[in-house]
Amino acid sequence: MRKMELHWKILIGMVLGILFGFLMTNFEWGPKFIQDWINPFGTIFVKLLKLIAIPLILASLVKGISDLKDISKFRNIGLRTIAIYIATTIVAITIGLLLVNLIKPGNGISEDTIAQLTETYSNDSGVTSKLEEASRQKESGPLQFLEDMVPDNAFNALGDNSSMLQVIFFTIFLGISMLLIGEKKAKPLKDFFDSLNDVVLKMVDLIMLSAPIAVFALLSNVVVSSGDPDLLLALLKYSGVVVLGLILMIVFYSLVVGTFTRYNPWTFLQKISPAQLLAFSTSSSAATLPVTMERVEEHIGVDKEISSFVLPVGATINMDGTSLYQGVAAVFISQALGFELTFSGQLTIVLTALLASIGSAAVPGAGMVMLVIVLEAIGFPADKLAIGLALIFAVDRPLDMLRTVVNITGDATVSMMVAKSVGQTIKPKVKNWDDNLDEVR
Ligand code: ASP
C-alpha cells in the first residue's frame, strides 16, 4: 500500500483536533481536560523543534559557508537576500493597504460593537502586556538592532533561542574564518559540523513522525482557549480583508516561483506544505524553522550554502504576512475609531510596517506588539491605543496562525529566488527518516 504523505497525516490531525476542541467546549470540564491532558503533547513537540533550532542553524550555516570556495559569493548571496526580502515585504504591505482602503472594513463597525470589544478586551492582560512590551522596544535607539546583533558571549547567545541573529552573526564569523585558515586546517571542524548537520536533520525527521498527534493537541487547545464566537463574527469583514491579502501573497509567491525560478508552483506548495501546516498550528516561524529548512533543502532542493543563510535570517527579519496584517490593522483601527489617515500617513505605515516586520520576534502574537509602534508612528492618539488593540484582539490568534504560514512561505520563496539568481539548479535530495534503520538494527 502506498504510504500516506506527511501533509495529509498532519491535516487529518489538525481537523480532528479542531473537532475535538469544539466537542470539548460542550462540557464544563472539557477545556481544563484539554489543557491538562492534551495540550502538553503539543507543547513538548514545539519544545523539541526549538531544541534543535540553534544546533541546526550553527551546523548548517557553517557547512554552507565553508562549502563556498569564494567569500565574495557569500556577499552576493547576502545582498540579494536582503534586497529581495525588502521587496517582497513592500509588496505585502501594499497589497494590504490597497485592500483595506478599497473594502473599508472599519467603516461598517457599529458603536455597540466597539463598546463591547473595548469593555471585554481593553483591560485584558493580553492587550496591556502588548502595550508594555511595545513601549519597552520603543525606548531603544536607532542603531540598537545592530548592537543587539553582536553577542558578547558566544555561548550565552547559543544558549538563548531568542538571540537568533546573534547566533547567525557568530556562525558567519566562524565560517568565514574557517575559509581563511585554508581547507586542510579547517577540515576537522568542517567534518564535525557536516556530521552534526546530518544528525540534526535526522532529528527533524524523527520529530516530524509525531507531528500529526502534536497538531491535534495544539489545535484542540486553540479552540478551547479562543474568545466569544459572537465577537469573532463582528470582526468578520476585517478578518476577511487580512485573509484575502494573505491568499494573494500565496498567489504572488506561486507566480514568482513559476516565472522566476521555473519551478512548478504546485509542486512547491505541496513540498513546503508540512512546514506551512506547522506554522499554522504553532503560530511561530522560529519553531517551524527546522522543518522549513529540511523541506527547502531536501525536498525542494535549494543548496545549503543558500538555504542555511536565507531561512534563519528570514525567520527573524522577513515577515510578509505580519507586515500585511499590520498595514490592514492600522488602517482598520483608524477607520473604526474615526482617526483621519492622510496619504503620507499611509506611506508612514509602509515604512514602519517594513521596519516592524524586521523587528518582530518570530513567536506567537509578536506582530501585535509591533502594530503599536506602527500606530504611534502615524500619530494615533496614545489614549486610544488600548481601545484600538481591543478591537482586533479577539481575532488575533487565528490571523496570527495564517500570517505565520505566509511568513514561512515567503522565506522559502526567497531562498529559491536567491538560489536561482546565483545560477544554482534546484533539485531535491530527499532523505527518509529510516534510511539506515536496517544497519542500526
Ligand atoms: N507569529 C508570527 C511568526 O512567528 C509573528 C506575528 O505575526 O505575530 O511569524
Side-chain angles (χ1 to χ4, degrees):
M1 201 175 73
R2 226 179 120 221
K3 266 204 313 206
M4 191 192 270
E5 299 247 24
L6 181 62
H7 58 267
W8 287 118
K9 290 189 199 160
I10 301 180
L11 211 59
I12 293 173
M14 289 167 71
V15 173
L16 292 179
I18 294 174
L19 292 178
F20 185 66
F22 277 118
L23 180 74
M24 282 296 151
T25 47
N26 293 316
F27 304 103
E28 209 181 308
W29 48 269
K32 176 117 177 62
F33 173 78
I34 289 195
Q35 269 149 24
D36 289 351
W37 294 98
I38 308 286
N39 190 40
F41 295 100
T43 313
I44 291 173
F45 175 77
V46 173
K47 278 180 147 180
L48 285 173
L49 286 174
K50 288 186 172 165
L51 161 80
I52 54 170
I54 293 204
L56 181 59
I57 297 175
L58 186 67
S60 153
L61 194 51
V62 167
K63 179 166 166 44
I65 297 178
S66 55
D67 278 347
L68 289 174
K69 292 284 167 291
D70 167 9
I71 305 185
S72 67
K73 206 168 161 194
F74 184 67
R75 197 190 51 212
N76 229 341
I77 294 174
L79 290 178
R80 277 162 211 236
T81 304
I82 306 291
I84 303 177
Y85 273 153
I86 293 178
T88 56
T89 306
I90 292 180
V91 170
I93 306 170
T94 312
I95 290 182
L97 286 181
L98 284 177
L99 289 178
V100 72
N101 281 299
L102 222 68
I103 303 176
K104 299 192 172 51
N107 288 358
I109 195 154
S110 72
E111 293 291 322
D112 278 356
T113 316
I114 294 180
Q116 202 185 353
L117 287 166
T118 308
E119 197 194 327
T120 321
Y121 293 113
S122 65
N123 289 320
D124 187 288
S125 61
V127 168
T128 46
S129 71
K130 298 221 151 61
L131 286 169
E132 280 161 18
E133 173 77 8
S135 77
R136 254 198 311 278
Q137 297 210 10
K138 212 181 49 197
E139 271 155 27
S140 47
L143 291 186
Q144 185 68 37
F145 77 102
L146 269 186
E147 214 180 301
D148 289 346
M149 223 151 74
V150 184
D152 57 4
N153 183 318
F155 293 97
N156 283 351
L158 291 172
D160 177 5
N161 272 345
S162 61
S163 340
M164 207 97 93
L165 286 180
Q166 294 194 346
V167 173
I168 296 171
F169 178 87
F170 169 70
T171 314
I172 293 175
F173 201 11
L174 182 73
I176 291 181
S177 306
M178 279 169 66
L179 281 179
L180 290 174
I181 61 170
E183 224 168 282
K184 206 166 132 239
K185 280 201 185 138
K187 189 166 183 316
L189 205 54
K190 181 166 168 8
D191 287 345
F192 168 77
F193 281 115
D194 280 2
S195 169
L196 178 64
N197 180 63
D198 286 343
V199 173
V200 182
L201 281 175
K202 186 59 61 183
M203 290 167 115
V204 178
D205 285 341
L206 294 177
I207 296 170
M208 285 303 278
L209 292 177
S210 64
I213 297 172
V215 293
F216 174 91
L218 288 167
L219 288 184
S220 60
N221 190 52
V222 167
V223 172
V224 293
S225 27
S226 64
D228 179 352
D230 289 342
L231 291 182
L232 297 189
L233 229 53
L235 295 171
L236 212 56
K237 205 165 165 197
Y238 155 70
S239 318
V241 174
V242 177
V243 173
L244 180 62
L246 295 176
I247 294 175
L248 289 179
M249 277 313 286
I250 300 282
V251 174
F252 167 71
Y253 296 140
S254 306
L255 287 175
V256 169
V257 166
T259 52
F260 191 81
T261 66
R262 307 234 158 258
Y263 199 93
N264 183 331
W266 184 243
T267 316
F268 163 67
L269 289 177
Q270 220 174 354
K271 295 202 164 164
I272 196 69
S273 60
Q276 291 175 319
L277 297 175
L278 282 196
F280 181 81
S281 310
T282 59
S283 279
S284 167
S285 325
T288 314
L289 179 65
V291 183
T292 317
M293 288 177 80
E294 195 252 3
R295 299 307 297 185
V296 169
E297 280 166 22
E298 294 186 352
H299 297 259
I300 294 177
V302 172
D303 268 359
K304 196 172 293 300
E305 53 191 54
I306 291 157
S307 59
S308 66
F309 171 73
V310 179
L311 295 173
V313 169
T316 4
I317 70 164
N318 181 54
M319 298 197 178
D320 297 347
T322 302
S323 46
L324 182 145
Y325 145 85
Q326 283 164 340
V328 175
V331 178
F332 167 75
I333 293 173
S334 306
Q335 288 169 348
L337 299 180
F339 173 72
E340 198 72 44
L341 247 185
T342 55
F343 183 68
S344 78
Q346 307 246 2
L347 283 184
T348 311
I349 295 182
V350 177
L351 196 70
T352 43
L354 174 67
L355 296 176
S357 92
I358 296 176
S360 299
V363 295
M368 208 171 176
V369 174
M370 297 313 262
L371 172 65
V372 178
I373 294 175
V374 174
L375 284 171
E376 285 177 338
I378 54 174
F380 191 82
D383 57 327
K384 283 194 177 162
L385 276 176
I387 304 177
L389 289 199
L391 282 190
I392 55 165
F393 192 70
V395 282
D396 192 58
R397 180 67 196 214
L399 294 183
D400 190 3
M401 296 158 86
L402 292 168
R403 62 191 190 239
T404 310
V405 173
V406 170
N407 290 347
I408 67 112
T409 312
D411 297 343
T413 306
V414 174
S415 72
M416 292 172 76
M417 290 171 78
V418 175
K420 188 74 188 174
S421 78
V422 295
Q424 192 225 308
T425 34
I426 302 174
K427 219 167 64 233
K429 356 179 171 18
V430 184
K431 295 190 190 117
N432 293 314
W433 77 270
D434 53 358
D435 280 346
N436 297 310
L437 193 60
D438 287 339
E439 276 168 51
V440 176
R441 280 205 176 115

